[in-house]
Amino acid sequence: MPITPESVLTANHDPYTPRSLPAAFSQTAGTTGGLTSAPPAAVYERQSRPASVETLLPPPRQPEPYRIGVGDVVLLATPKSGNTVEQLAGVLAAENSRQGYTVQDDGTISIANVGRVEIAGQTIEDAEATLFQRFLDKQVDPTFSLEISEFNSKKVTIGGAVVKPTVEQITLSPLYLDQAISDAGGTTSGELDYTLVRLYREGKLYQVPLKDVYARKGGRILLAAGDIIFVDAEYDLAKAEGYFEQQLKLGSYRQTELAALQNEIALRRAGLSEERDTFNARLELGAEKRDYAYLTGEVGKQSRFALPFNEKASLADALYDGAGGLPAKTANPKHIYVLRGSSDPLEYQSITAWHLDARNAAAMLLATRFELHPNDVVYVAAQPVTHWSNVVNAITPSLLISSVNAATN
């Protein structure tokens, strides 16, 4: 059967489904069920305007020196000239003599040639003393200054009826309630007489009328790390307390569920990787079934060509990928054959030889469309001159021996 555009359709019409890769090769670690449980039920309900407001002030606090915490970024600075920079090379940045270090979860910063130094919970003065002693222990010139460049460990949350709900960082300067509300853009409530500021701290709820906050009645309220501030005019105290508890539970829920989801994804990824590695190992050892076509005749490499998974291979794929192409000197492009047996077991002696004449390069396009089936045999005939070359190669040793014998006699 000559391979023509019409006969290619006939050849490809024979039923053949490529073998599929295991499901592990098409799945990803992200195909999980996501969060496994519903978040806590909301308790927020809109309330009518209260007839009166109650003031519950938090215990007074006094300003204290800022203590370095996890997540803060401290900056070590050294003079830009002199031997100090040279001696601290590798410890502090030599380019601009300033290097930032983030306080890690264990409360330490890691400095090259000095090691890990614990400074969490210390004031700037205490941290300077700790670093000074560590530099002396490591025989490094301790000429430096310390400052905090980023404040990330102490936060106050502000929400409700404010222009810009935000998370405010506590810095070296004390943060007061009226300042935090101003930093959030002030209130959006139109009725200051009934607007309350509620402060949730360490499991207890406090509330102050907003007009008293602005008037600073009873003094300014100093905020602490972890405070949650909510400005509104429509909650009663019980509902407000329920709202804050809900926010805390929701935050805890999200952290727990996120950790569980990350563990699930990690386990899933490891399982998929193990399945893939096992399949590849079995494939390499020949323990997995695989479909092959066979390449013979005047090809670059006589071998069996593994048909790919999940897709079909063409005659051109076999000739140029599996066989390494056609040798120009020996292969006859006029006679390229694909031998295919019948799929019917009762017709096992029935063989179709699909013939491709590739002397015209355009005919090779048909080779890219001709689909190979399992157990196809691709055969490339030899050039006529190849037969003569084989004959010459066979008789040349005999002629040389005869010539030598004649010269000897």
Side-chain angles (χ1 to χ4, degrees):
M1 292 285 294
I3 295 181
T4 63
E6 293 76 15
S7 64
V8 166
L9 295 177
T10 302
N12 293 346
H13 182 70
D14 292 341
Y16 162 56
T17 302
R19 293 186 182 274
S20 299
L21 287 169
F25 284 86
S26 60
Q27 295 175 342
T28 65
T31 56
T32 62
L35 301 182
T36 57
S37 59
V43 298
Y44 169 73
E45 294 179 2
R46 301 189 68 84
Q47 301 292 312
S48 59
R49 186 169 61 186
S52 61
V53 293
E54 181 183 7
T55 300
L56 297 174
L57 294 174
R61 299 180 68 251
Q62 296 299 322
E64 297 179 353
Y66 185 88
R67 295 189 177 274
I68 299 170
V70 174
D72 288 343
V73 178
V74 297
L75 196 67
L76 289 175
T78 58
K80 292 186 177 181
S81 61
N83 295 330
T84 302
V85 173
E86 299 175 0
Q87 294 179 8
L88 291 178
V91 177
L92 305 177
E95 181 179 356
N96 56 12
S97 299
R98 298 166 68 87
Q99 177 67 48
Y101 297 92
T102 301
V103 181
Q104 303 300 314
D105 292 341
D106 59 357
T108 66
I109 58 175
S110 180
I111 306 175
N113 300 331
V114 174
R116 305 187 74 86
V117 183
E118 184 173 358
I119 61 172
Q122 300 181 5
T123 64
I124 294 181
E125 291 75 13
D126 294 339
E128 285 180 338
T130 300
L131 290 170
F132 184 89
Q133 186 61 48
R134 179 60 65 89
F135 283 174
L136 289 180
D137 294 342
K138 295 295 182 178
Q139 299 182 349
V140 177
D141 184 355
T143 304
F144 69 91
S145 64
L146 178 69
E147 61 184 274
I148 302 176
S149 61
E150 294 183 24
F151 298 85
N152 300 316
S153 64
K154 298 172 177 58
K155 304 176 182 179
V156 172
T157 303
I158 309 169
V162 292
V163 176
K164 297 180 296 183
T166 184
V167 176
E168 189 83 4
Q169 307 290 346
I170 296 179
T171 63
L172 296 178
S173 301
L175 180 63
Y176 291 91
L177 180 59
D178 57 335
Q179 176 189 346
I181 296 175
S182 297
D183 292 343
T187 181
T188 58
S189 174
E191 301 183 2
L192 293 183
D193 291 339
Y194 295 95
T195 301
L196 293 176
V197 178
R198 293 192 167 91
L199 171 63
Y200 193 81
R201 175 185 296 171
E202 297 179 350
K204 295 183 179 181
L205 184 64
Y206 308 95
Q207 66 181 23
V208 185
L210 181 59
K211 61 181 181 179
D212 291 350
V213 174
Y214 285 153
R216 298 184 180 180
K217 286 187 177 181
R220 303 179 73 186
I221 298 177
L222 180 63
L223 299 179
D227 283 354
I228 301 177
I229 301 167
F230 198 86
V231 180
D232 72 275
E234 299 184 20
Y235 283 125
D236 64 25
L237 188 59
K239 291 296 182 181
E241 185 174 7
Y243 171 81
F244 286 113
E245 291 179 352
Q246 172 193 335
Q247 296 305 305
L248 294 177
K249 290 180 180 178
L250 186 59
S252 176
Y253 158 80
R254 287 172 176 165
Q255 291 295 328
T256 302
E257 287 295 293
L258 179 60
L261 184 59
Q262 290 174 338
N263 290 335
E264 182 181 353
I265 291 176
L267 291 174
R268 179 62 176 160
R269 183 178 291 117
L272 291 175
S273 178
E274 183 178 2
E275 288 185 45
R276 294 166 185 168
D277 292 343
T278 300
F279 177 81
N280 288 328
R282 287 177 56 84
L283 195 63
E284 184 177 352
L285 295 173
E288 287 288 341
K289 289 185 178 181
R290 188 80 185 262
D291 292 331
Y292 295 94
Y294 299 86
L295 310 177
T296 185
E298 293 299 322
V299 293
K301 178 183 178 182
Q302 299 195 36
S303 61
R304 65 177 185 175
F305 173 69
L307 300 183
F309 292 95
N310 294 356
E311 62 182 20
K312 296 180 180 180
S314 68
L315 173 58
D317 293 332
L319 290 175
Y320 291 97
D321 189 10
L326 303 179
K329 293 183 178 180
T330 60
N332 187 353
K334 180 181 178 180
H335 295 290
I336 301 175
Y337 299 92
V338 178
L339 308 180
R340 179 175 297 169
S342 173
S343 58
D344 188 344
L346 299 179
E347 299 179 0
Y348 67 93
Q349 292 182 334
S350 174
I351 298 176
T352 301
W354 300 93
H355 173 220
L356 176 67
D357 184 354
R359 287 177 298 176
N360 181 356
M364 287 302 296
L365 285 175
L366 296 175
T368 65
R369 302 172 185 174
F370 188 95
E371 298 173 355
L372 291 181
H373 289 191
N375 300 321
D376 280 354
V377 177
V378 178
Y379 173 79
V380 180
Q383 292 274 14
V385 70
T386 303
H387 296 290
W388 286 105
S389 177
N390 292 337
V391 172
V392 171
N393 290 337
I395 67 175
T396 296
S398 300
L399 294 175
L400 291 175
I401 293 173
S402 299
S403 300
V404 171
N405 291 337
T408 303
N409 295 331

